[in-house]
Amino acid sequence: MTTKKKRTPIVNNDSWVVIAADSAIDTQKPDSDPAFVRLRNPFTDAASLYMLSSGDVQLFEVKAFEEDFHSWFVGQIVQRDGRLLFVTPMDPLYLILPYLIKSGKEGKFQPVDQVVMDEEFPACSRLLSCKRSLASLHHIAEEKEVGAVKFHRYSQEKTMNWLKKKVEKTATVLKARNISVGEGVKSTTYVRVKSESHYCEEDYLRYAHGLISEYISEDLSKALLKHLQLPELKSPTETEPPSKKRKLSDKPVEAGEDYTKFNSADFARKPPKKMTAAQKSLAKVDKTGMKTMSSFFSPKVKKENQ
Amino acid sequence: MDLGPFETDNSVSCRLSSQVPDVCRTEDCCLGIDEAGRGPVLGPMVYGICFCPVSKKEELKNLKVADSKTLSEAERENLFQKLDEAKSFVGWALQILSPNTISTSMLQRTKYNLNALSHDTAIGLVQYALDSGVQLTEVYVDTVGPAEKYEEKLSKLFPGITVTVRPKADSLFPIVSAASICAKVARDRVVKTWNFAEDLGDVDTDYGSGYPNDPKTKAWLLKYLDPVFGYPQFVRFSWSTAQTLMESKGVTVHWDDEDEDGEKAAQRQNNRSMLSYFGASAGGNAQNPTHQTHRFFTERRLKSLDTL
C-alpha cells in the first residue's frame, strides 16, 4: 500500500528561524546591518559561518540545531527545513589566534593588521574592528609600542594561561548548569533519579577542555591539556583487553574450534606445546642419526612387538 | 436523538444514549450491537446498542425492524421514530467514532487497527449498559473478524451473559436490527450536517455515499485535497484511498517512524552504506574524522555551518 517516498534535497531557503542575542541586531551604525560572514574556523581550518553585528562591533558564531523529520510552521507558511539557528556571542580572539600563531613562527613583532590577513577569507580583517579584539590581544601576544604604532608577537605562554582561564570559567558554568560531564552518559533528556554530584573537578575540567578545543587547533588543544596537567586519555581501544589475535607462526593454520578432528584417528594427538627460547634453538640443531631421549626409556616389550 | 454533544466537537469520540427504561433494570434483558459506517472514507463510524427485556422480544419484532441496509433512509427514520416511541421498554446508546479518532488511532506510532477499535467500542457500550443497571443476560453481535474468536473474547469479558456472535446478525435478531437502525440513523444525520472545523468557505456537500468506490466521493476528495495539510478532519486519513491521493498530489511528508531503506536511510542512522566504501573519498570538512565535534554539541544536535 505504501510506496517508497523519495527525499528531495532541501534547497536553500531565503528564510531561517534564528535565535539571536539582542546585541546581534543592535544597529549602532545607521548604514551597516549585521551580516553573516564566512571565516576560517580555527578548529577545522575550513570555512564556517559567523556573524558580525552592525559596524563589526561584535562577533557571533552560528550554530544550527538540525535533526531529521522536523519542519516549521511560520505564520501562514511551512518551512521545510526544521533547523533552528543560534547566533551567540563569541570571543574574536579565537579567530585571530591562528593568524598570530602563523606569523609568530617568524618571531618578529608585527602590526596586527598585517598579520590578520587571509586571501581565502578577506573578511577576517574585520575581526579587528570588534570591540574586544585589540583590547584583549595582550592575552595571546606580547606588545611593543613604537610611536603611535603597536606591534605584536604571539606568545604561547600567555595563550596557555588565557586558555586555561577559559577552561576554568567554562567548568564553573558547566557545574552551575548541572551539565552531565561523566563518561558514558549519552542522553541529555534522560531524567536521572540520582543527582550527579559525584563528578570530580577533573571531569569538569576535561569536559570544558573538550569544549574549548572546538575553538582552537588540535596542536593547541594538546598543549592546553598538558598545561592543565590533565593526563591524556587513552583511546578506548587501548583500555580494552588485548584482542585475541592469532599470533603469527610458521605452523600450519588450523581452525580454532574444529570438532571434526576428534572424529579422526588423530584424536589422540596432543596439541603442540609452546617452546621456550632455549628449546627453540635446540630444535634447530641438526639431529640426524641421534636418538631421542625418550627412546632410551621406552619399555623393552614394545620394541619386541615392533 | 440529540446530536448536539457530538456536533460541538466532532474531532473526538462521543457517546449518546436514551433514558434507560425502568423495566430493563428489573427484568432480564437482551442486547444487540451493530455498527454503521465501517467502510466509508468520509465521516464517522457509529456503534449502536439496543436493549429490551427478553420478554418483550415479540413486541420488538412487531415493530418490523429489519436490517438497516435493506431499508431506505425514510424507512429508517420512521423505524427510529417507532423505537423512540417504545422507550418504555427499549433503550439505546451510541458511540460515535469521529473520522479523526479513526485516523489518529490507525496512524499512531503503535498502530491500533479498525477491528481492535471496533471491539473495544462494542465492549465499552456493553459495559455502559451494565453500569447503567441493565440486567443483561443475552448479547447479540454482528461479527467483526472471525466470529468464534470474537464470541470467546466477549464471553470471557462478560461472564454470566450468553454472547452470540454471528455474521449477518442484523437480519437474524430484531434487537441487532434495532441497534443497526440507531447507528445508521445517527451516522446519516451526522454526515448530512457535518460541521467542518476547517475554514473551507462554502463547502460542496455533494460527496456522495462516502464510500471509496463512489465517483462522487472520489471527485470530492480530489477537490478538497490540500497539498500541505491533506484533508479536513471529515476524511479518514488512514484509508488507502485518501493516502494514495495525498501521496500522488500532496507534498511528501516524512515521519521518523517510517520504514526506509537504501543509502539515505543508512546515512540517517549514521551507518555507512556499502556503496560509500567504493566512492571517491570526499574531502568534506565537517565529516573529517580528525575533527570530531565535542559531544556537548553532538548530543544537542548542534553543528557549525559553512553556508546558509
Side-chain angles (χ1 to χ4, degrees), chain A residues 194-230:
Chain A
K194 275 189 267 177
S195 70
E196 306 203 32
S197 48
H198 60 274
Y199 293 138
C200 59
E201 191 66 26
E202 192 193 314
D203 288 332
Y204 281 109
L205 280 179
R206 199 178 286 282
Y207 195 96
H209 168 262
L211 263 178
I212 296 296
S213 297
E214 286 280 309
Y215 300 91
I216 53 179
S217 70
E218 207 184 324
D219 289 344
L220 221 48
S221 165
K222 277 184 188 153
L224 178 59
L225 201 63
K226 264 193 203 136
H227 188 71
L228 290 166
Q229 290 169 332
L230 293 172

Side-chain angles (χ1 to χ4, degrees), chain B residues 6-257:
Chain B
F6 179 68
E7 275 163 356
T8 49
D9 181 5
N10 60 21
S11 66
V12 294
S13 175
C14 173
R15 177 173 298 155
L16 305 173
S17 54
S18 72
Q19 283 279 339
V20 175
D22 287 337
V23 273
C24 294
R25 292 208 169 90
T26 50
E27 280 186 48
D28 282 357
C29 288
C30 60
L31 181 144
I33 311 175
D34 200 15
E35 114 278 296
R38 193 177 164 76
V41 61
L42 301 178
M45 179 163 85
V46 181
Y47 251 84
I49 56 166
C50 233
F51 47 88
C52 73
V54 177
S55 57
K56 303 270 187 180
K57 267 188 184 171
E58 278 308 306
E59 273 179 67
L60 194 68
K61 221 176 223 170
N62 295 338
L63 288 176
K64 298 221 169 46
V65 288
D67 174 12
S68 66
K69 284 184 204 85
T70 64
L71 305 169
S72 71
E73 202 179 324
E75 285 172 310
R76 281 197 301 263
E77 284 286 345
N78 193 26
L79 276 172
F80 181 70
Q81 202 61 45
K82 280 191 189 169
L83 282 171
D84 207 33
E85 281 160 18
K87 62 172 142 227
S88 61
F89 65 96
V90 178
W92 53 264
L94 298 170
Q95 190 75 33
I96 306 181
L97 298 170
S98 70
N100 187 49
T101 307
I102 298 170
S103 305
T104 49
S105 300
M106 290 173 74
L107 295 175
Q108 69 191 358
R109 236 165 242 264
T110 44
K111 302 287 176 276
Y112 183 28
N113 72 37
L114 199 64
N115 275 5
L117 190 62
S118 298
H119 285 190
D120 292 348
T121 308
I123 291 162
L125 282 168
V126 174
Q127 192 60 52
Y128 159 78
L130 287 172
D131 293 346
S132 313
V134 179
Q135 299 299 308
L136 287 183
T137 53
E138 300 166 19
V139 167
Y140 300 92
V141 195
D142 199 353
T143 192
V144 171
E148 300 83 37
K149 261 194 169 173
Y150 195 16
E151 193 171 289
E152 197 187 310
K153 184 176 175 183
L154 290 175
S155 300
K156 258 190 198 153
L157 275 169
F158 302 109
I161 298 175
T162 324
V163 181
T164 312
V165 179
R166 289 274 187 290
K168 301 215 167 65
D170 49 351
S171 53
L172 295 171
F173 311 105
I175 195 67
V176 180
S177 310
S180 98
I181 285 163
C182 294
K184 186 76 175 159
V185 166
R187 173 167 153 94
D188 284 348
R189 290 190 190 175
V190 167
V191 168
K192 215 181 256 176
T193 60
W194 187 262
N195 282 328
F196 285 90
E198 298 79 9
D199 183 16
L200 297 173
D202 266 337
V203 197
D204 173 8
T205 51
D206 190 18
Y207 31 68
S209 66
Y211 278 86
N213 55 6
D214 185 334
K216 268 190 177 172
T217 303
K218 260 212 154 145
W220 191 89
L221 284 174
L222 269 174
K223 187 173 167 188
Y224 282 98
L225 175 72
D226 181 282
V228 172
F229 297 101
Y231 287 110
Q233 287 189 356
F234 185 47
V235 178
R236 300 183 191 173
F237 282 63
S238 46
W239 255 237
S240 65
T241 322
Q243 280 179 344
T244 316
L245 282 172
M246 283 191 292
E247 260 162 37
S248 61
K249 301 271 193 308
V251 174
T252 314
V253 179
H254 298 275
W255 302 96
D256 68 355
D257 60 342

